[in-house]
Amino acid sequence: MTDDWRQQPGRARRIAFPKLAIVAVIAGAALASACSQPSDSQQTAQQQASDEQARKEADEKAWADAEKAGTAAAYTAYLQNFGSGAHVSEASQRIVALNETARKASDEKAWADAEKAGTAAAYTAYIQSFGGGAHVAEARQRVAELSRKEADDKAWADAVRAGTAAALTAYTQNFSSGAHVAEARQRLATLDEQARKDADDKAWADADKAGTAAAFNGYIQKFGSGAHVAEARQRLAAFDEQARKEADEKAWADAEKAGTASAFTSYVQKFGSGAHVAEARKRAAALETQGRKEVPTIDIQKTCQLAAGAMVKLMGGTTTEQDINACLDSEQKARDQIIKDRATYSSADKVQCMRTGVYLPSYVEWLTCLEMERDVRKMQQEERFGAGPWTLPRVKPVGKQCGMRTPAPLSSRKSSGGLRRART
């Protein structure tokens, strides 16, 4: 055989080799026949032996070539040419092993490519191509992780683009373990703080615009730790101080208008640290001193003892120290009340009621008389002009000119017995 034949493709050589072997066998047989002329049966046996030997040699040669090539294609060609050859089983095993090796190599290459790409699409393509590959489980895990990460990143990008508390809250709810949860919470805290600050500033602006104590109180109640609480309290304190001053001035004006010791004393009781307390005390003391001078002095010890004796004569029984003390206490309190309210009594009523020359003069009786006269006069005014408030015009008295008499005081129209205690 020539070198050109050796350089032919393997399959061509495998096909040509049996043909040459057959030609050689036939040529050998012809040569043998020429040398000797055996019988037909011998010739047949020799021919069969020669054919079998040629087949075996061709089989071994083809197997050697297949092993030398070492490829699945070479072993497959051997099987196709020598379906019942001596190495068919081994060729089949070699093909299976080579195919498995090729499959593993393809699997590893595809996995390496997927890992290099690092995308969910690449891992998905690997799974589709190698459904039973060595890395399918890991590929599925990578796809799940990347899909979740892509969804996480997209949701975060959408939330950041919206920039609202609602969008950030939705992200934290949908991706509670996402990569951006911490930042989302920080942004929510910032937005909440800004919203609180805006609400605080708006509430303060509204309260400042209203400028009332109620508005500042409302601000403090809603924003107890707001930025303007201290100023709101200062404003309220200013309002309270102003209201206190106004109330103080009004009470003092009322006390001055009344001009009585009780009015000044009442002012001191209500405004213990008022601006006019010292003057009020001075006025009250002066009026009480003057009142005590104006109110005649009665020997209430004598009056109470004699009155008690008179009551014993009238009612029977005995007089006790307790009865006398009770009488003395009533008399003293009546005197203090007369002094306190003396400015509310008219001069005529004082003359009419406070008489020391009667039998057993009594402060209790004087106070009763003064109050009755004052109350009757007040009722008469209300019957004429209504309950008031009202102001009468200044006119000249016309009673005498029209033949009218001024009504006598009530005490003069009643018997003196109705205003005094029973006398013996």
Side-chain angles (χ1 to χ4, degrees):
M1 297 181 185
T2 64
D3 293 336
D4 292 338
W5 180 82
R6 290 191 183 92
Q7 294 176 357
Q8 291 178 358
R11 178 173 178 78
R13 292 201 305 272
R14 288 193 295 271
I15 295 171
F17 182 81
K19 291 180 180 180
L20 292 173
I22 294 169
V23 172
V25 171
I26 294 171
L31 181 60
S33 176
C35 294
S36 64
Q37 295 293 327
S39 62
D40 291 337
S41 59
Q42 289 177 339
Q43 290 179 352
T44 302
Q46 290 175 355
Q47 181 66 40
Q48 289 177 348
S50 178
D51 290 345
E52 178 62 23
Q53 182 62 34
R55 191 193 62 76
K56 285 183 178 180
E57 290 176 356
D59 184 7
E60 291 299 328
K61 172 99 175 44
W63 174 247
D65 292 340
E67 280 195 314
K68 184 177 181 181
T71 64
Y75 290 118
T76 301
Y78 169 80
L79 289 174
Q80 290 174 349
N81 294 325
F82 297 90
S84 57
H87 306 283
V88 168
S89 177
E90 189 174 356
S92 297
Q93 291 176 358
R94 297 281 184 92
I95 290 171
V96 170
L98 287 170
N99 286 338
E100 178 62 20
T101 300
R103 190 197 63 75
K104 287 183 177 179
S106 297
D107 185 5
E108 292 300 326
K109 184 179 184 306
W111 175 246
D113 292 342
E115 282 196 311
K116 184 177 181 181
T119 63
Y123 289 117
T124 301
Y126 168 81
I127 293 169
Q128 292 173 347
S129 299
F130 297 88
H135 307 282
V136 167
E138 188 174 358
R140 288 198 175 103
Q141 184 177 356
R142 297 279 185 91
V143 169
E145 290 175 355
L146 287 169
S147 297
R148 186 189 61 78
K149 184 178 183 301
E150 289 173 2
D152 183 6
D153 291 341
K154 183 180 183 304
W156 173 245
D158 293 341
V160 170
R161 184 169 53 254
T164 63
L168 293 169
T169 300
Y171 169 80
T172 58
Q173 291 173 347
N174 295 329
F175 296 88
S176 57
S177 59
H180 311 281
V181 167
E183 187 176 357
R185 287 186 177 137
Q186 288 177 355
R187 294 208 181 186
L188 279 172
T190 301
L191 287 174
D192 289 344
E193 178 61 21
Q194 186 60 43
R196 190 201 63 77
K197 185 177 182 301
D198 291 343
D200 183 7
D201 290 339
K202 183 179 183 305
W204 173 249
D206 293 341
D208 193 31
K209 183 178 180 181
T212 63
F216 291 123
N217 268 321
Y219 169 80
I220 292 172
Q221 289 173 355
K222 291 181 180 178
F223 297 89
S225 58
H228 309 280
V229 167
E231 187 174 358
R233 289 200 171 109
Q234 289 177 355
R235 297 280 190 92
L236 283 173
F239 273 113
D240 291 342
E241 179 62 19
Q242 183 61 31
R244 191 197 63 76
K245 285 182 178 179
E246 291 176 357
D248 184 7
E249 293 301 326
K250 183 178 184 306
W252 174 246
D254 293 341
E256 280 194 314
K257 183 178 180 180
T260 64
S262 61
F264 290 119
T265 301
S266 177
Y267 168 81
V268 172
Q269 291 172 347
K270 290 180 180 178
F271 298 88
S273 58
H276 309 282
V277 167
E279 187 175 356
R281 286 190 176 126
K282 182 179 179 181
R283 295 269 194 99
L287 288 169
E288 287 183 2
T289 300
Q290 182 180 353
R292 293 184 186 282
K293 290 180 180 179
E294 292 180 358
V295 176
T297 301
I298 297 175
D299 186 357
I300 57 175
Q301 186 75 30
K302 178 181 178 183
T303 296
C304 286
Q305 287 177 348
L306 291 176
M311 291 299 295
V312 168
K313 290 181 180 179
L314 289 174
M315 307 297 294
T318 58
T319 299
T320 64
E321 189 70 21
Q322 185 176 358
D323 294 333
I324 295 175
N325 289 336
C327 174
L328 292 172
D329 183 65
S330 297
E331 290 293 328
Q332 187 60 52
K333 287 180 178 178
R335 174 181 170 80
D336 293 340
Q337 192 67 36
I338 292 171
I339 294 171
K340 183 179 179 182
D341 296 337
R342 67 181 183 80
T344 64
Y345 309 134
S346 67
S347 299
D349 292 341
K350 292 176 184 177
V351 172
Q352 176 67 26
C353 297
M354 296 192 311
R355 292 179 292 175
T356 58
V358 298
Y359 177 71
L360 296 180
S362 167
Y363 293 122
V364 173
E365 289 188 2
W366 289 2
L367 178 60
T368 302
C369 176
L370 290 168
E371 289 179 346
M372 287 181 63
E373 294 292 343
R374 181 188 62 192
D375 294 343
V376 167
R377 185 174 290 103
K378 182 179 178 181
M379 287 188 295
Q380 289 174 344
Q381 289 176 342
E382 289 179 356
E383 288 176 359
R384 284 186 181 182
F385 307 108
W390 35 259
T391 302
L392 292 177
R394 301 182 66 180
V395 297
K396 294 180 180 180
V398 296
K400 294 182 179 180
Q401 295 177 359
C402 297
M404 298 174 62
R405 286 188 306 173
T406 302
L410 180 63
S411 58
S412 65
R413 288 181 277 126
K414 293 181 178 288
S415 64
S416 59
L419 299 178
R420 299 178 59 82
R421 294 191 304 272
R423 285 166 168 68
T424 56

